[in-house]
Amino acid sequence: MSIDPTSFLHDEVRRAKKRLEKALREGDSVVASRQARRVAELLRELARYRSWGGGELLELAREYEELARKLSKGVVVPVSQLPREGAPAKPLSRPVRGVSRIATGESEVSKLDREFDAEAEKLIARADVTWNDIAGLEDVKKALMEAIYYSLAKPEIPVKLEPPRRLLLYGPPGTGKTMLAMAASNMLKATFFNVSVDRVLSRYVGDSPRMIAAIFRAAYRHAPSIIFFDEIETLVARRDTGKEAATGVVQTFLTELDGFKTKKLDKPVIVIAATNKPWMLDEAIISRFEKRIYIPLPDKRARIQLFKLELEKKGFKIQDITYEELAELTEGYSGRDIRNICKEAVMMMLRRANPDIYQQITRVENLAQLQKARYRVKPVTRQELIQAIHKVKPATTPQEIKKYIEWTQKHGTQ
Ligand SMILES: Nc1ncnc2c1ncn2[C@@H]1O[C@H](COP(=O)(O)OP(=O)(O)O)[C@@H](O)[C@H]1O
Ligand SMILES: [Mg+2]
C-alpha cells in the first residue's frame, strides 16, 4: 500500500495560499489573517512528516504566523511580500525552552517577550462548537450567555455594573466544560485561547510566569477573547509537590486576573477556567472567580440527547433498543463516556457488516482506489450497544460526586 499522507497537505497548503492571495488583493485582512494562520498550521503538520528539512517548514510556518498577526492588526501586506519557501532562513533566535535567565538589558528582555508572544499566539484554537452541540446543561448555558451579554452590551443609562469576566467551571471529567468554553467563544466571535495549564507549566519550566503574562497580552491584542485555562488545579498542585517554584506562577496568574479586571477594554477578555478537582484550588484562586459553576453529569434527558447526538444525528440507526432505554442504562456516565460507548458500538457494527475488509485492504494500491471503496453500514443492535456499555466504565464514582456537591455547598455561586 503506498499512500502519501502529505500530498493532501501539500494540496491544502496550495489552496490556502491561493485564498490568502485573493484576500490580500481584495484587502480583506480578516480572511487573509485566517488563511495565513491556516497555512502555518498546515506547514506545521507537514513538518511532522519530515524526517529532515522540517526545521525550514517550521521557520516558514513562523513567518506565516507573524504575517497572520500583522494582518489581524490591520497592517496592509502586498502579495509580493508573502513568505517564500526556500528563501534564506532567518537565523533562529534563542530557543524558548530553557532560556537562560540572565537577560542583558532592556532590548534583550523585550525580544524574549516577543518570543513568548509568538508562543502565546500558538494557543489560539478554533472554536466551532455551538450551544446546540451541547446536550443538557440548560441553566449553565444561560448563565454563560448572560455573563457574555452583560460584558458586551452597554447599559441604557450610565450605571456601574461589573459583569463577571472570570468564570470557573468545575465537575466530573468529560461533562462538556471545554465544549461550553468553545461555544461561548464561538457566540462572541472571540479569539479562543486554549491553554492546558499542565502543558504550559511543563513546557515552559521556569518560564511559565512569563508565558502566562504573554497569554494575557495576546488576549488583549486579539480581543474580544476568551482564555480557557484547562486543568487549572495543576497550577496549585505543583506548589505542593515542589516540582517548580510554582508560587511565582500562581502569583503571576493572580496578578493578571486582578489586572485585567480593572483594565478598561472596549472589547472584552473573558477568562474561563475548568477543573475536575476544585478541592485542590486554594482560596486565593477560588475567590478571583466571580462565578463558579458546577457542571454535573448528564441527567436522563441529557443522556438521551447525547446518544442521539452520537448516533441519530450522525446518520446511524439503532435496532431493538430505544434511546430512553439507553439513557436508563447509563446513569453515572459522562458525555465523554457516552460518546465512547457509541464509538465502540459503531465499531462493532462495522466489523459485523464488513468482515472482508482485511482482504480488501491488502489489495488496495493507492489512495484513489481506497477512496472509491465503499463499506457497509447497518443499524447498531441492542446487543452491540449493551456490550459497549459494559465495556466502558463510568469515569466518576458516586463518592466523587458527593465531593463535588459538598464543594458546591461551600463555594458554588449558582
Ligand atoms: N454535554 C455534552 N454534550 C455533548 N457532548 C458532550 C457533552 N459532554 C461531553 N461531551 C462529549 O465528550 C467530549 C469531552 O467533553 P469536554 O468538553 O472536553 O469535557 P470536559 O472538558 O468537561 O472534560 C466532547 O468532545 C463531547 O464529545
Ligand atoms: Mg476538557
Side-chain angles (χ1 to χ4, degrees), residues 33-300:
S33 168
R34 199 181 320 131
Q35 293 305 333
R37 184 155 291 123
R38 172 87 183 129
V39 173
E41 266 172 32
L42 291 162
L43 290 172
R44 284 187 182 280
E45 186 72 33
L46 264 173
R48 289 209 270 136
Y49 287 102
R50 286 270 178 98
S51 46
W52 54 272
E56 274 166 46
L57 285 175
L58 287 179
E59 179 60 23
L60 197 62
R62 262 178 233 121
E63 291 188 43
Y64 273 100
E65 275 154 9
E66 178 61 32
L67 175 70
R69 203 162 76 204
K70 273 195 205 157
L71 287 165
S72 71
K73 282 191 207 145
V75 178
V76 178
V77 178
V79 177
S80 61
Q81 271 180 29
L82 282 180
R84 260 174 232 297
E85 228 158 335
K90 277 182 267 161
L92 266 180
S93 45
R94 286 196 297 162
V96 165
R97 196 191 291 247
V99 196
S100 138
R101 310 290 302 145
I102 314 150
T104 52
E106 270 286 329
S107 65
E108 195 67 5
V109 172
S110 59
K111 192 172 143 216
L112 198 55
D113 276 342
R114 274 208 309 281
E115 282 179 26
F116 279 97
D117 283 350
E119 291 290 301
E121 305 248 332
K122 287 184 203 153
L123 298 170
I124 296 177
R126 232 194 312 262
D128 39 20
V129 175
T130 66
W131 298 116
N132 287 337
D133 298 326
I134 303 174
L137 304 174
E138 305 306 332
D139 293 344
V140 178
K141 289 186 207 172
K142 276 192 202 141
L144 283 172
M145 284 188 213
E146 196 179 59
I148 287 171
Y149 185 83
Y150 290 115
S151 288
L152 269 179
K154 301 275 179 297
E156 175 172 69
I157 57 162
V159 290
K160 203 165 173 210
L161 178 82
E162 287 183 2
R165 285 193 176 168
R166 300 174 295 191
L167 314 160
L168 176 71
L169 309 179
Y170 64 94
T175 46
K177 295 183 283 298
T178 306
M179 288 184 93
L180 285 162
M182 286 184 170
S185 183
N186 193 5
M187 180 179 91
L188 244 178
K189 299 280 170 279
T191 316
F192 186 66
F193 288 82
N194 196 351
V195 187
S196 155
V197 174
D198 193 35
R199 217 173 311 149
V200 167
L201 292 189
S202 47
R203 213 165 143 198
Y204 303 96
V205 188
D207 279 321
S208 2
R210 253 209 158 89
M211 187 58 190
I212 303 252
I215 292 168
F216 277 87
R217 277 200 304 274
Y220 300 138
R221 264 200 310 281
H222 290 278
S225 305
I226 286 192
I227 318 180
F228 179 60
F229 288 104
D230 205 1
E231 297 177 59
I232 188 77
E233 81 282 356
T234 51
L235 202 69
V236 193
R238 296 213 161 203
R239 176 144 67 180
D240 297 339
T241 59
K243 259 191 184 166
E244 184 178 0
T247 333
V249 189
V250 175
Q251 203 43 57
T252 310
F253 186 71
L254 295 177
T255 312
E256 290 293 342
L257 277 184
D258 288 343
F260 107 99
K261 183 76 210 296
T262 50
K263 209 157 184 148
K264 285 235 172 348
L265 293 166
D266 52 345
K267 288 179 184 164
V269 174
I270 293 175
V271 170
I272 301 180
T275 178
N276 305 329
K277 302 186 187 83
W279 41 83
M280 289 180 72
L281 298 174
D282 53 17
E283 199 54 49
I285 292 191
I286 298 169
S287 62
R288 287 327 190 272
F289 291 90
E290 297 103 329
K291 270 209 172 276
R292 304 184 278 270
I293 305 172
Y294 180 38
I295 314 296
L297 287 175
D299 59 14
K300 191 175 152 199

Side-chain angles (χ1 to χ4, degrees), residues 395-408:
T396 319
T397 62
Q399 289 93 307
E400 280 167 322
I401 300 295
K402 233 179 101 195
K403 269 173 97 173
Y404 289 115
I405 292 170
E406 280 166 15
W407 199 85
T408 304

